[in-house]
Amino acid sequence: MGDMIDVAIIGAGLSGIGAACHLKKQCPEHSFTILEGREASGGTWDLFRYPGIRSDSDMYTLGYNFKPWEAGKAIADGPAILKYVRETASEYGIDDHIEYQQRVLAVDWNSRTQCWTLKIQDDAKGSLRELTARFILCCAGYYKYKHGYQPEFPGREQFLGDFVHPQHWPESLDYRSKKVVVIGSGATAVTLVPAMADQASEVVMLQRSPTWVVSRPSSDWIANSLRAILPSRWAYLLTRLKNTLFQHMVYRRSREKPQKLKDMLLKEVKRELGSEAEDQLEHFTPNYNPWDQRLCLVPDSDLFAALKSRKARVVTDEISEILPNGIRLKSGEELSADIIISATGLELEILGGMAVTIDGKDFEFPNSWTYRGLMFSGLPNLLSVFGYINASWTLRADLAAEWLCGLLLHMRARNFASVTPTLEPDMPGMQGRPYIDSFSAGYMQRMMHLFPQQGDRDPWINSQRYLLERKQFRNMDYDEPALCYEPESQAAQLTTDKAA
């Protein structure tokens, strides 16, 4: 039956390494391994290599709750974040638990042995292997690593220059003194434009519609001041609390008083644009409320500085066709381009794209319900980390890992072999809602039909509310009715004895 492990962690990125640290500290008697499909750790922060790559969340909330971020910049670049993740793995002894080039193709739950069998493509050896695990913790993120979302633009095949998606940036791409068009208005586009403007002859950000942007300093002076007078951990936790409360306040205002937040954001944009405000404001005035999609962060006003330098500009229009030397817009305007960057977003997938079966039968995710945004109704011993869309990803990744540690300890203390989220039989019918609700971003809307539903009551809600979930998760009653446990069967005991 292959190797046996207590917990198989899929993915050695920000979430996977953090979860392993929590497991090692809180569940030292549980064995675990991290299966990483690529040749290196770091996930997103190793995959993305485009100019200016950075986080759009501050590192006091994107960082782990157990390892202080001590660098001067709160809005960190990709290499700094990657160093932080790998430093964490080294400090906590996680490196020895990572197996690289191990792509999990499929997992099957065996009800008789109460274990998962993972079918793994060992790219290092060019062969298939199997691993048996009691529990699966999926930290593979929520998007496809193979490719990003790429719309079909008429005429693309006739373009004579370089056509690039930022998810797979060519190391050899030379954009010095070139005309560049960046298609998109999200975080990637907003990052690329100022990063390329210094060397390119011109950078045009071509957007179909505007996105809400907010400018903030890349350094947090309060955090740096606290670190100068307090122990590092205290300063970090106080700053983390400050920034978390601020995120919560802004998001709550976006739900309760969207017009006031709109007015405030537009006032800031006008101030940033200065004398250009009258001509440029239309490009920064979206037709949706703030936080119906993520706000785009502009650190140190770099985007606005690029616009004022005249080396970058924003065009709001739709693409009619790609020409050999540029783009024709629906308005009839033509944009010259030596390079086109298609910053058109991510393509989502569930559990890293692996096939999931129970006793050989396909598990239908759209027919299941999410349990607290962590597990799936009818699916035993599997937890998936999905972060916040309205706050930093790691806030939820830490909570999910801590919640899992509590669950595993609860199960071991009571000799439970499996746990399955199950709708209570006498519960009235629930009104289904999308897994991520009230969020209009295209990359989410395109794929929500493939995800489980959320309901209209606890614990079948994916609340996306950090302060609420922190209280719920840390005061968890693991014996609540929605969690159905089974003791270890005789077959499971034989499997354990054989593995030992």
Side-chain angles (χ1 to χ4, degrees), residues 334-349:
E334 293 186 7
L335 302 176
S336 297
D338 302 305
I339 300 171
I340 296 175
I341 311 298
S342 185
T344 45
L346 307 169
E347 191 163 317
L348 271 60
E349 65 180 359

Side-chain angles (χ1 to χ4, degrees), residues 102 120-129:
Q102 306 295 306
I120 301 165
Q121 174 66 46
D122 186 335
D123 287 332
K125 296 180 179 178
S127 59
L128 291 173
R129 58 176 279 227

Side-chain angles (χ1 to χ4, degrees), residues 218-406:
S218 61
S219 296
D220 187 328
W221 70 270
I222 295 178
N224 293 338
S225 298
L226 287 173
R227 195 162 55 244
I229 59 175
L230 293 174
S232 176
R233 180 166 176 77
W234 290 12
Y236 178 67
L237 292 178
L238 283 172
T239 306
R240 187 179 177 91
L241 177 62
K242 169 184 73 74
N243 292 358
T244 299
L245 291 174
F246 180 75
Q247 289 174 0
H248 175 74
M249 180 196 72
V250 172
Y251 183 73
R252 187 176 64 185
R253 178 167 291 190
S254 75
R255 303 298 89 182
E256 296 174 354
K257 298 179 180 179
Q259 188 58 51
K260 283 193 174 183
L261 185 57
K262 278 184 181 183
D263 294 341
M264 184 186 77
L265 292 173
L266 287 174
K267 183 178 180 181
E268 285 197 20
V269 168
K270 286 179 182 178
R271 179 175 55 80
E272 291 286 353
L273 291 170
S275 61
E276 304 290 322
E278 186 175 343
D279 295 330
Q280 296 290 321
L281 191 61
E282 63 176 310
H283 301 306
F284 296 94
T285 309
N287 59 6
Y288 60 86
N289 289 332
W291 277 119
D292 284 356
Q293 298 181 27
R294 281 187 74 96
L295 271 64
C296 281
L297 181 66
V298 178
D300 297 326
S301 306
D302 61 1
L303 175 64
F304 298 107
L307 295 177
K308 289 175 182 177
S309 74
R310 306 290 184 179
K311 298 202 72 176
R313 63 190 177 103
V314 181
V315 173
T316 304
D317 205 335
E318 294 188 40
I319 294 173
S320 176
E321 65 174 323
I322 306 293
L323 304 172
N325 297 300
I327 299 174
R328 178 179 290 123
L329 305 177
K330 288 191 174 179
S331 65
E333 181 184 356
E334 293 186 7
L335 302 176
S336 297
D338 302 305
I339 300 171
I340 296 175
I341 311 298
S342 185
T344 45
L346 307 169
E347 191 163 317
L348 271 60
E349 65 180 359
I350 302 175
L351 303 185
M354 65 187 184
V356 180
T357 55
I358 297 179
D359 298 324
K361 184 179 179 181
D362 289 343
F363 183 78
E364 301 292 340
F365 285 96
N367 295 331
S368 70
W369 299 87
T370 181
Y371 169 82
R372 299 190 184 278
L374 299 171
M375 300 179 73
F376 310 92
S377 65
L379 194 61
N381 287 24
L382 188 149
L383 186 146
S384 175
V385 174
F386 195 109
Y388 294 115
I389 52 90
N390 54 19
S392 296
W393 179 276
T394 320
L395 289 174
R396 196 163 205 278
D398 275 332
L399 283 183
E402 291 175 342
W403 185 91
L404 175 61
C405 289

Side-chain angles (χ1 to χ4, degrees), residues 142 251 255 291-294 348 370 373 386-390 393 396 432-441 443-455 461-465 469:
Y142 67 125
Y251 183 73
R255 303 298 89 182
W291 277 119
D292 284 356
Q293 298 181 27
R294 281 187 74 96
L348 271 60
T370 181
F386 195 109
Y388 294 115
I389 52 90
N390 54 19
W393 179 276
R396 196 163 205 278
R433 295 183 293 144
Y435 181 76
I436 298 293
D437 201 12
S438 300
F439 192 70
S440 62
Y443 69 97
M444 288 283 180
Q445 295 300 317
R446 286 191 296 269
M447 301 298 289
M448 278 299 99
H449 65 285
L450 300 177
F451 278 67
Q453 305 174 78
Q454 64 168 312
I461 292 176
N462 182 16
S463 75
Q464 290 287 301
R465 295 171 59 189
E469 290 189 333

Side-chain angles (χ1 to χ4, degrees), residues 4-9 23 27-33 116 131-137 381 408 412 496:
M4 177 69 163
I5 205 82
D6 286 325
V7 182
I9 301 174
L23 274 172
C27 301
E29 295 182 359
H30 287 74
S31 58
F32 68 89
T33 191
W116 286 100
L131 171 71
T132 306
R134 291 289 196 193
F135 210 103
I136 291 176
L137 173 56
N381 287 24
L408 294 174
R412 176 160 288 196
T496 302

